[in-house]
Amino acid sequence: LSLSLDIDLFSIPHLRLSTPARPSPSGMGYALFSRKKNCHAKWGPALRRERLYAASCGVFFIGGIWAHVYTDRVLGWLRAPTGEWMWFSDRLYRAQGTACLFQSVLSVLSDVVYSDARSIVHPIDRLMAVVLTLIAVYLETCILLFGPMGPLRVLMLGLVGAALVCHFRAKFGIVSHDYPRYVRNHTIWHFAIVASMVVPMHLAIHSHET
């Protein structure tokens, strides 16, 4: 007598096999190297065609070069009324210039080249942006409060205010997935914040020297 059994192992509840769930892309590692913003995953190709947007990302290079070239003249202008300036040194002002040079490269890579991809440039860009912002806020606050700005104080405040407004409007463009709003305001934010570092001081220096 022969007995044949055809047993389907997958029909037995405790032996049923299941494919392990794929881990979700979360955790410190993923967050650290994630793309700039989630919506950039679909905006990336279009952002790389935005020439003015890309140029604004690299405009920090102008601010960096200006700071290194004009440091001595900036400090000379600030010392002119009293003969001394105690609020920051030439080293700190040049540090701002160096941070701007690095930021120009990082912004182009993070906001344009790798905007829709995971990359180490994103966390570095965020870190450098914080460093540059802290230095710039301190320097510009000292110049506004204690520097011989005169009427140019209004120009600097206007540029800083416009930059901040556009920065937050660009953030809202990301949240609302409004591509034109993001591109327009992010572009103005870059140009305005660099202009606030350069234009008022440049005009003040040339007015002082002539």
Side-chain angles (χ1 to χ4, degrees):
L1 179 66
S2 64
L3 181 65
S4 63
L5 298 176
D6 185 10
I7 301 176
D8 184 3
L9 294 179
F10 291 95
S11 65
I12 303 176
H14 69 276
L15 290 179
R16 186 170 296 152
L17 302 179
S18 61
T19 304
R22 186 178 179 180
S24 60
S26 59
M28 181 67 72
Y30 185 86
L32 186 63
F33 298 100
S34 64
R35 48 180 75 91
K36 186 77 173 179
K37 292 289 185 295
N38 291 335
C39 58
H40 285 188
K42 59 180 180 180
W43 289 355
L47 288 174
R48 284 188 282 274
R49 293 192 294 269
E50 298 283 354
R51 294 184 180 180
L52 191 60
Y53 169 86
S56 77
C57 295
V59 77
F60 291 97
F61 186 81
I62 297 174
I65 293 296
W66 189 92
H68 279 281
V69 171
Y70 277 81
T71 294
D72 292 335
R73 296 169 70 177
V74 168
L75 269 295
W77 160 64
L78 292 172
R79 293 189 185 105
T82 62
E84 62 180 13
W85 179 258
M86 60 178 290
W87 301 104
F88 57 80
S89 65
D90 58 341
R91 289 185 178 180
L92 184 58
Y93 202 81
R94 287 193 174 93
Q96 176 191 236
T98 302
C100 280
L101 294 176
F102 279 110
Q103 188 64 51
S104 66
V105 177
L106 291 170
S107 290
V108 170
L109 292 176
S110 183
D111 291 353
V112 182
V113 179
Y114 296 109
S115 60
D116 55 350
R118 295 175 65 189
S119 173
I120 186 64
V121 300
H122 298 312
I124 298 176
D125 173 63
R126 297 181 190 115
L127 177 62
M128 184 56 67
V130 171
V131 172
L132 177 57
T133 299
L134 291 175
I135 296 175
V137 165
Y138 175 75
L139 294 179
E140 293 195 12
T141 300
C142 290
I143 293 172
L144 281 169
L145 294 178
F146 310 113
M149 291 292 294
L152 292 172
R153 189 174 277 109
V154 177
L155 175 60
M156 179 182 281
L157 286 171
L159 289 170
V160 172
L164 292 176
V165 168
C166 289
H167 177 67
F168 288 112
R169 285 176 62 86
K171 296 292 185 185
F172 182 75
I174 292 173
V175 173
S176 60
H177 296 272
D178 188 336
Y179 175 81
R181 181 193 292 266
Y182 166 74
V183 172
R184 179 173 60 252
N185 285 281
H186 198 73
T187 300
I188 298 173
W189 146 251
H190 281 165
F191 279 118
I193 198 64
V194 173
S196 73
M197 300 176 187
V198 174
V199 175
M201 274 77 75
H202 191 83
L203 294 175
I205 290 170
H206 280 273
S207 176
H208 167 71
E209 294 176 347
T210 55

